[in-house]
Amino acid sequence: MSLDPSFVGRTYPPTAPYQVGREKIREFATAIGAAEPAHHDPAAARALGHPDVVAPPTFPVLVTMAASRQIIEDPDLGVDYSRVVHGDQRFAYTRPVVAGDELVCANTIEDVSTRGGHGFLTTRTEVTTPAGEPVVTVWSKIVVRGES
């Protein structure tokens, strides 16, 4: 089944808030080798003007990957997850993510195309606070490999 291009522009309902925890930031930073003190030590983060530890720039992947299930599991779109590979990811920050944040994701399908027998799906996820304050916009491209 190929991806349905009529989905371009479709927006999904906002997710439930995700509570960003200090330990989750520390664990993520350790896992990716981000040793900067502001990712681990609240005092170091406060010295830089942040209220608590600061998440590494790729941390929102934890939240947006979970939110992307809305899209991936939409049966009418036609994504065969067993054939998916990661294509691209980029972030545009309004402000850093810090421990104590509550984050809500709203997904939009920006592009659906087919090239060389493979489907390409580009999504945009607006990550905000529950009050609607912008935090980061995340774009993700996945490739759904065609049948060999």
Side-chain angles (χ1 to χ4, degrees):
M1 174 185 243
S2 61
L3 299 174
D4 183 347
S6 73
F7 275 65
V8 172
R10 182 172 292 194
T11 298
Y12 291 79
T15 61
Y18 173 89
Q19 181 71 42
V20 178
R22 184 184 289 163
E23 287 308 311
K24 185 62 81 173
I25 289 175
R26 287 175 174 154
E27 290 167 358
F28 186 87
T30 298
I32 66 167
E36 291 84 357
H39 300 316
H40 301 273
D41 179 10
R46 282 192 289 279
L48 295 173
H50 303 290
D52 208 322
V53 293
V54 180
T58 56
F59 181 86
V61 165
L62 290 176
V63 183
T64 61
M65 283 293 291
S68 72
R69 291 180 60 188
Q70 293 175 311
I71 295 170
I72 300 300
E73 294 177 356
D74 188 330
D76 297 325
L77 178 57
V79 175
D80 177 353
Y81 199 71
S82 71
R83 305 195 65 76
V84 168
V85 294
H86 183 267
D88 186 34
Q89 192 96 34
R90 64 187 169 101
F91 304 85
Y93 274 90
T94 302
R95 68 164 178 80
V97 173
V98 297
D101 278 341
E102 280 192 310
L103 303 177
V104 174
C105 297
N107 292 307
T108 300
I109 296 178
E110 284 208 334
D111 188 50
V112 174
S113 61
T114 302
R115 294 189 302 271
H118 305 294
F120 292 80
L121 174 67
T122 302
T123 61
R124 182 185 77 246
T125 304
E126 298 294 343
V127 182
T128 66
T129 66
E133 174 196 352
V135 178
V136 60
T137 302
V138 180
W139 289 268
S140 178
K141 182 179 288 185
I142 62 169
V143 180
V144 182
R145 295 174 291 123
E147 300 289 331
S148 303

